[in-house]
Amino acid sequence: MVKRERWEKNFSEWFDEALRNAEIIETRYPVKGLYVWFPYGLKLRNNVLAIIRKLLEETKHEEVMFPLLIPEDLFKKEADHIRGFEGQVYWVTHGGKEKLDVRLALRPTSETSIYPMFAIWIRSHADLPLKVYQVVNIFRYETKMTKPLIRVREVTTFKEAHTAHATSEEAEAQVKAAVEIYKKFFDELAVPYTVTKRPPWDTFAGAVYSIAFDVIAPDGRTLQVGTVHNLGQNFARVYEIEYEKPDGAHEHVYQTCYGMSERVIAAAVMVHGDDLGPCFSPRVAPIQIVVVPIPLKGEAKDAEQMARGIAEELKAAGFRVHLDERNLRPGRKFYEWERHGVPLRLEIGPKDMKRGEVTIVRRDIGERSTISFKVLIPEIRKTLELMNLGMHDRAWKSLLGSIHELKDLGKIKKVMEERGGIVRAPWCGKEACGKELEEKTGGSVLGEELDKKKADGTCPVCSKPAKTSILIAKTY
Ligand code: 5CA
Ligand code: ZN
């Protein structure tokens, strides 16, 4: 197995290098926080997108596309929402040489562009539930340090869903359904996560409550990779989204929204990395199998021909395959494709050919084995499936291993300062204690876990009996 020293100890540098070496993101675009997708990176992006699209389509969300620009008066209707985003909005103030009468916001998210249309579209209970999603770019003028995929000013891959319901119970059920969709999504990516209900002081601007998915980076910090919000009737009231009930009465709808960005791609890059770079799960890898002929003097043609045939066969079976026929030493090719995170390498040398076999090498654990031509397709299929499972299990073990159960303020602080990682601590439920916990330890409260919360022990701040437990971590 490849070492994980740099990956663990120098994560931030490792990450930027991995994106460059694997040709995911070009970071030299001359505007801060804006980046370019390389072709290989865009293939990765599209594979990730295909997974979430499928999950949303299966659960009856319909795709829509709204404008990028939002007029200021519409944007400013929901008071909490605007307070949350005010400092992050880019404004279009001019059209050519003319100053615009109404400034236009570049959407930082799309509630305020979508909901005025919901108000028009939704008339009666028969129009509900309404469930739409879009995949668009959004702009946020981030003031913290920008980082490719992780904190960008143009989010290029915002996947946002918006739903409207007749009752509060239905909206509540939709929040649960969305959490299940996101769980499936991350499971497909073989990326482990925590799911927490964010504390009141970290709720999405305009929401009743927010649920967030976080992943853990190799340096022990967590990264929020997706959120699900119950909006209650907050937006419905200001945008006047009403429906007529069967009895003729009118009521505001209940809404939810949930979204993810290219951070989910960052997660796929970092979770399975090692000192060579990323290792993509076969589900999303732009290239699943690279075929490399190992020519021997005099017999080079045979190996190349054989490699071509095998690559064709694998392609026909539906795998994403690349045949590397360049005139370079095999070792050089191996290194390059390892850095691109290709899950499986298939070598065809003279010995293999004579025996009617090929050699395969797994990128995740470096294991070499041989497969007979006769069972090539089923064996490869099985190997990729095993890889996905193996990567999933290893990453989950690592995440669960980095959760420390602690009750003592000093100890929590120590973990935040030294190892990094996630702490599960008892909490009395009071906001003041939560905030003090953040201040004294340097961590952030992620929130209550959805399925694992307990009420044992006493609050590390006030020593009163715990009402629940919370996760705390240093965050990106
Ligand atoms: N309207 C809601 C749900 S669609 C919303 O905007 N929620 S959000 O603000 O929490 O954004 C959803 C997710 O986008 C976040 O959880 C985070 O993973 C990601 N995200 C937010 N801002 C950025 C950014 N500047 N760069 C990269 N990802 C971001
Ligand atoms: Zn307390």
Side-chain angles (χ1 to χ4, degrees):
M1 255 175 113
V2 181
K3 279 191 303 189
R4 288 182 131 184
E5 269 172 37
R6 266 179 62 70
W7 175 77
E8 207 170 64
K9 303 220 167 77
N10 261 325
F11 168 68
S12 188
E13 270 170 57
W14 175 93
F15 184 73
D16 294 355
E17 247 172 62
L19 294 185
R20 186 165 56 242
N21 293 337
E23 295 177 287
I24 309 290
I25 292 285
E26 165 64 83
T27 57
R28 290 168 291 186
Y29 191 75
V31 180
K32 185 177 154 66
L34 272 50
Y35 304 95
V36 178
W37 288 94
F38 281 120
Y40 190 78
L42 203 66
K43 288 192 181 91
L44 172 68
R45 171 191 185 268
N46 292 343
N47 292 339
V48 172
L49 265 184
I51 297 175
I52 189 65
R53 267 186 206 286
K54 181 164 177 277
L55 289 168
L56 290 172
E57 295 281 343
E58 277 170 6
T59 48
K60 301 209 165 78
H61 296 70
E62 286 192 297
E63 190 169 12
V64 291
M65 180 80 73
F66 277 73
L68 169 64
L69 300 175
I70 308 171
E72 182 164 14
D73 47 331
L74 275 190
F75 184 69
K76 292 200 163 160
K77 274 196 164 163
E78 213 290 325
D80 286 332
H81 188 69
I82 179 61
R83 236 175 278 131
F85 279 104
E86 217 160 28
Q88 294 189 10
V89 178
Y90 284 90
W91 290 102
V92 176
T93 57
H94 287 76
K97 289 183 179 161
E98 273 167 47
K99 194 163 175 239
L100 298 177
D101 293 337
V102 181
R103 295 197 298 166
L104 300 168
L106 296 189
R107 64 182 161 217
T109 169
S110 306
E111 284 74 9
T112 60
S113 76
I114 293 178
Y115 299 167
M117 296 301 110
F118 273 17
I120 298 172
W121 296 349
I122 296 169
R123 298 271 69 117
S124 88
H125 59 94
D127 299 324
L128 299 173
L130 179 61
K131 301 198 281 183
V132 300
Y133 76 98
Q134 63 177 3
V135 183
V136 294
N137 61 345
I138 58 164
F139 289 82
R140 291 186 185 180
Y141 188 74
E142 296 283 353
T143 47
K144 280 199 205 169
M145 193 165 69
T146 54
K147 197 162 178 62
L149 300 182
I150 289 179
R151 183 167 290 103
V152 297
R153 287 182 169 176
E154 180 188 9
V155 176
T156 61
T157 316
F158 201 57
K159 309 167 265 292
E160 53 177 325
H162 296 267
T163 72
H165 307 268
T167 64
S168 162
E169 292 73 28
E170 281 172 48
E172 188 72 37
Q174 190 58 39
V175 165
K176 292 207 173 82
V179 167
E180 289 311 309
I181 291 171
Y182 281 8
K183 281 185 180 171
K184 276 192 194 149
F185 170 74
F186 288 110
D187 289 343
E188 284 269 314
L189 289 184
V191 165
Y193 48 80
T194 59
V195 195
T196 55
K197 183 169 174 185
R198 286 292 194 249
W201 62 93
D202 193 20
T203 295
F204 179 70
V208 177
Y209 67 84
S210 299
I211 289 170
F213 283 71
D214 291 83
V215 300
I216 189 159
D219 60 2
R221 284 175 185 255
T222 60
L223 178 67
Q224 179 187 301
V225 286
T227 46
V228 179
H229 311 286
N230 189 329
L231 303 176
Q233 293 176 307
N234 291 349
F235 286 89
R237 278 190 215 105
V238 289
Y239 289 97
E240 295 171 38
I241 315 173
E242 286 183 356
Y243 74 100
E244 191 176 293
K245 296 181 170 188
D247 66 7
H250 286 250
E251 192 182 351
H252 290 118
V253 297
Y254 295 81
Q255 291 178 275
T256 81
C257 70
Y258 26 106
M260 298 186 291
S261 73
E262 46 259 54
R263 273 191 195 175
V264 300
I265 299 168
V269 170
M270 70 194 187
V271 167
H272 304 294
D274 57 33
D275 285 358
L276 275 171
C279 169
F280 293 117
S281 93
R283 294 278 156 79
V284 295
I287 297 172
Q288 293 170 313
I289 308 160
V290 62
V291 179
V292 182
I294 315 285
L296 197 73
K297 276 194 198 90
E299 290 174 274
K301 283 273 167 304
D302 298 345
E304 275 161 19
Q305 206 176 356
M306 185 69 82
R308 238 170 269 152
I310 284 175
E312 283 312 315
E313 199 183 325
L314 291 170
K315 261 184 220 165
F319 297 109
R320 295 189 287 275
V321 184
H322 178 74
L323 171 64
D324 190 349
E325 292 188 288
R326 291 174 303 169
N327 188 16
L328 295 171
R329 280 184 303 105
R332 162 85 192 276
K333 295 182 183 177
F334 297 171
Y335 181 61
E336 228 175 80
W337 294 117
E338 277 164 354
R339 296 209 304 184
H340 279 74
V342 175
L344 207 58
R345 179 170 83 230
L346 201 149
E347 302 172 9
I348 299 165
K351 269 193 215 146
D352 297 316
M353 284 195 294
K354 280 188 196 115
R355 290 198 204 114
E357 290 173 351
V358 296
T359 297
I360 56 167
V361 184
R362 269 172 69 162
R363 168 73 180 84
D364 60 335
I365 53 174
E367 189 183 76
R368 293 177 80 89
S369 52
T370 50
I371 301 178
S372 154
F373 287 163
K374 285 182 221 132
V375 290
L376 185 68
I377 303 290
E379 280 298 311
I380 296 250
R381 190 163 282 136
K382 200 168 90 194
T383 307
L384 289 178
E385 206 41 53
L386 281 175
M387 262 187 92
N388 213 70
L389 285 175
M391 289 169 72
H392 176 275
D393 292 352
R394 225 170 319 131
W396 267 104
K397 244 190 219 140
S398 161
L399 172 77
L400 296 176
S402 53
I403 300 179
H404 314 279
E405 302 251 358
L406 295 173
K407 298 179 179 164
D408 178 78
L409 202 57
K411 285 194 182 133
I412 300 173
K413 186 166 189 254
K414 211 160 167 212
V415 169
M416 292 298 123
E417 280 167 0
E418 288 172 8
R419 276 179 291 184
I422 303 171
V423 168
R424 185 184 289 128
W427 183 39
C428 65
K430 282 205 294 283
E431 180 158 338
C433 286
K435 286 189 167 162
E436 195 169 329
L437 198 55
E438 290 186 332
E439 266 160 42
K440 293 219 163 121
T441 65
S444 302
V445 172
L446 300 182
E448 268 181 85
E449 287 164 286
L450 283 202
D451 12 289
K452 295 184 204 77
K453 62 188 170 201
K454 322 181 201 167
D456 309 338
T458 55
C459 173
V461 180
C462 69
S463 304
K464 297 240 167 70
K467 283 221 173 75
T468 181
S469 64
I470 41 174
L471 298 186
I472 306 153
K474 279 211 163 165
T475 60
Y476 267 100

